[in-house]
Amino acid sequence: MKINENFLKIQNNYLFSDIAKRVAAYAAANPGADLIRLGIGDVTRPLTPSVIDAMRSAVDDMSDIERFKGYPPEWGYDFLRSAINENDFKARGVNLKDSEIYVSDGAKSDCGNIGDIFDVCNIVALCDPVYPVYVDTNVMGGRAGEFIGERWSDIYYMPCVKENHFLPELPNKKVDLVYLCFPNNPTGMAISAAELKKWVDYANENGSVILYDAAYEAFISDGSPHSIFEIEGAKTCAIEFRSFSKTAGFTGVRCSYTIIPGELERGGVNLGALWARRQATKLNGVSYITQKGAEATFSVDGKRQGREIIEYYLNNAKIIYKGLKALGYEVYGGVNAPYIWLRTPDKLTSWEFFDLLLNKVQVVGTPGAGFGPSGEGYFRLTAFNTLENTEEAVKRIAEI
Ligand code: PLP
C-alpha cells in the first residue's frame, strides 16, 4: 500500500488557513479587538428574495409525493442548463447547446477536478500570482514536479506584474494546459477581447487547452468579454468555469457550471464526453433546491436583485480604490472585480504589510506572496464586507 505522495509535496497549508491562524492568534491575545476582514473572498450579502422564494417552493415540491425528486441528473436539470444558456451565452451572442453546460457544486471543484481528464505528463502554465487551487490540484495530480526555491519545477509560470499590466505573456515554448482567470483573482484585472484572442490563437496553433475561470464575470464594468466563447476560435480550445458563488451569493449554497463545447477534441477524443463520464462517476449531481435557486437568479426580479448586490460590492471596491489612491498607494483592479491589488508601501514584504495592518489598525487583508512569487510586494483587499466596514477600513488605513 502506498499513498499518493504528491499530497506530501504541497507547500504549507492553504493560504487562507495561514491567515486564519494569525488572525485567531491576534484575536486571542487582544480580546475585544474590532477586526475588519477584507481578506478572504467570501460574500456577505444574503441571498436575494427571488432565490429564497424559489428555494422555498422547491422545498415544498420535495415535501409532496407527486413532486418529490430523488437524485438529480448528473449534469444538471434541463431547466437550469437552458436558463444559463439563454441568459449568459445567447444574450451575448454565444451559441452553445444546453448539453455543453455541466452544472456542478462549485468552480473550485470543477477547476480542481478537470485535471482528471488530462494526462499527468501535460505541461501546465499558470499566471503568477494565481488562485492557489490551480497550483495545489496540479501538485496532487503529479504535474508540478518538485518545489525548488519558490517555484514548481514542471510548471510554466507567467508573471503578471505592473510592468506587463498584470496580463500573462504568451509562452515561449509549447505548453499543454493554460489556466487563465479573468476578471482575475487576485489582481482584479480583466482581459480585452484582443488580448484574449492571442491566447485562443496560441492554443489552437499548439493544440493546448485553455482552462478559463470566469467566476467573476458579473463584475465586468468596462465592456471586456464575459466569456472566452465570445472570442472566435475558442470552441476548439477552451473550457470555461462559471459559478453562482460571487455572482449570486451562493458561496454557502454551492452551484456552478462548466462549459465544454462539442467541438473541443484532443487526440480524436471529445473532452466534453470525458468530463460527462467523470462527473457521472464521481458526482451525484447538485440538489434540486439549489438548482431552483440558481434558476431564479435569471428571472427579471432575480437579475435586478442580483445586480444590486454586485453594484454594492463594486461601490465598496471603488471606495477602497479611491481611498487608497488618495493616500498615495499604488492601486490596481477594483473596476471589473471585487478585488483591489496594491503595492505594499515602503518596500515592505507582503506578510510584513499584513502584520502591520492587523496589529496597527486591525484590518485583515491577503499577502500577495501567498498567490505566488510574483505576488511579493503586493497585497489584496476585497470588497465583500459591508459598506460601513469598508469605509471604516479605509479610514483606519489612513492612520498608519
Ligand atoms: N475561481 C476563482 C478564481 C475563485 O476566486 C473562487 C473562489 O474564491 C472560485 C473559483 C471558487 O468558486 P466556487 O465557490 O464556485 O467553488
Side-chain angles (χ1 to χ4, degrees):
M1 199 319 277
K2 241 184 129 200
I3 57 153
N4 177 353
E5 291 190 351
N6 292 316
F7 278 65
L8 305 181
K9 294 183 182 175
I10 291 175
Q11 298 300 300
N12 313 318
N13 287 327
Y14 188 56
L15 168 65
F16 295 103
S17 328
D18 282 353
I19 293 172
K21 271 189 217 145
R22 288 203 195 198
V23 173
Y26 179 86
N30 300 276
D34 178 19
L35 290 165
I36 301 184
R37 293 169 200 273
L38 305 183
I40 194 163
D42 199 356
V43 297
T44 52
R45 310 304 294 166
L47 296 172
T48 61
S50 298
V51 169
I52 293 295
D53 286 350
M55 291 177 96
R56 285 208 173 106
S57 108
V59 170
D60 290 342
D61 289 345
M62 295 298 267
S63 66
D64 181 283
I65 195 158
E66 300 294 334
R67 292 178 285 147
F68 171 77
K69 312 268 182 231
Y71 286 122
E74 290 101 335
W75 311 306
Y77 280 103
D78 289 346
F79 64 76
L80 181 57
R81 296 172 104 185
S82 122
I84 290 169
N85 200 355
E86 284 298 321
N87 292 280
D88 279 356
F89 297 102
K90 279 213 176 78
R92 292 193 181 281
V94 176
N95 211 355
L96 291 175
K97 296 193 192 73
D98 292 357
S99 59
E100 295 167 324
I101 298 167
Y102 301 87
V103 174
S104 180
D105 64 350
K108 186 182 203 172
S109 323
D110 284 8
C111 33
N113 292 330
I114 197 76
D116 280 9
I117 68 167
F118 296 112
D119 192 273
V120 65
C121 70
N122 283 304
I123 308 237
V124 171
L126 295 176
C127 292
D128 171 23
V130 74
Y131 177 49
V133 171
Y134 314 147
V135 184
D136 287 356
T137 54
N138 276 293
V139 176
M140 291 171 181
R143 278 184 212 96
E146 301 303 320
F147 196 69
I148 301 169
E150 44 184 18
R151 290 181 173 79
W152 292 94
S153 58
D154 293 354
I155 286 186
Y156 185 93
Y157 286 81
M158 305 182 290
C160 296
V161 287
K162 175 185 160 183
E163 289 70 25
N164 57 17
H165 309 289
F166 302 98
L167 287 178
E169 288 158 32
L170 291 178
N172 54 20
K173 65 175 207 177
K174 184 180 169 314
V175 297
D176 302 307
L177 294 171
V178 182
Y179 287 78
L180 295 179
C181 170
F182 290 104
N184 189 262
N185 175 14
T187 68
M189 302 304 263
I191 192 166
S192 68
E195 278 296 321
L196 196 48
K197 175 78 173 124
K198 290 186 197 166
W199 283 98
V200 167
D201 291 345
Y202 170 90
N204 279 325
E205 276 157 28
N206 289 280
S208 327
V209 172
I210 298 173
L211 302 171
Y212 193 77
D213 188 340
Y216 297 97
E217 60 78 29
F219 292 86
I220 290 174
S221 318
D222 72 352
S224 300
H226 287 241
S227 166
I228 194 167
F229 300 117
E230 290 174 47
I231 310 299
E232 202 193 324
K235 284 189 179 174
T236 49
C237 68
I239 292 176
E240 180 165 300
F241 304 99
R242 294 251 185 146
S243 174
F244 290 96
S245 281
K246 308 296 160 72
T247 57
F250 270 47
T251 55
V253 177
R254 313 304 304 142
C255 196
S256 68
Y257 43 108
T258 288
I259 294 92
I260 310 189
E263 291 93 321
L264 181 56
E265 293 189 348
R266 288 295 177 267
V269 177
N270 181 281
L271 298 192
L274 289 190
W275 182 245
R277 172 59 63 87
R278 191 264 169 223
Q279 291 297 80
T281 305
K282 293 194 180 179
L283 176 81
N284 248 339
V286 176
S287 86
Y288 172 71
I289 300 164
T290 296
Q291 293 194 53
K292 274 289 172 189
E295 181 194 25
T297 64
F298 296 116
S299 69
V300 173
D301 284 346
K303 278 190 201 165
R304 183 183 38 79
Q305 293 160 0
R307 195 65 229 160
E308 280 166 15
I309 294 179
I310 299 284
E311 295 297 338
Y312 181 93
Y313 293 136
L314 281 173
N315 183 49
N316 286 349
K318 198 195 264 177
I319 288 167
I320 301 173
Y321 184 96
K322 286 198 164 166
L324 294 194
K325 203 153 192 134
L327 292 170
Y329 283 83
E330 213 179 300
V331 216
Y332 304 95
V335 175
N336 293 304
Y339 297 121
I340 287 88
W341 189 240
L342 56 123
R343 270 217 93 111
T344 54
D346 307 326
K347 299 211 160 45
L348 293 178
T349 68
S350 55
W351 277 107
E352 282 168 353
F353 188 62
F354 173 90
D355 286 332
L356 178 75
L357 281 192
L358 176 62
N359 295 314
K360 220 164 163 199
V361 292
Q362 292 76 52
V363 172
V364 182
T366 311
F371 298 102
S374 298
E376 185 51 280
Y378 292 93
F379 199 78
R380 192 191 76 175
L381 293 172
T382 80
F384 286 124
N385 213 309
T386 59
L387 171 63
E388 296 72 27
N389 281 344
T390 303
E391 287 174 335
E392 170 65 17
V394 173
K395 255 192 232 152
R396 290 191 195 177
I397 295 173
E399 287 157 18
I400 284 180

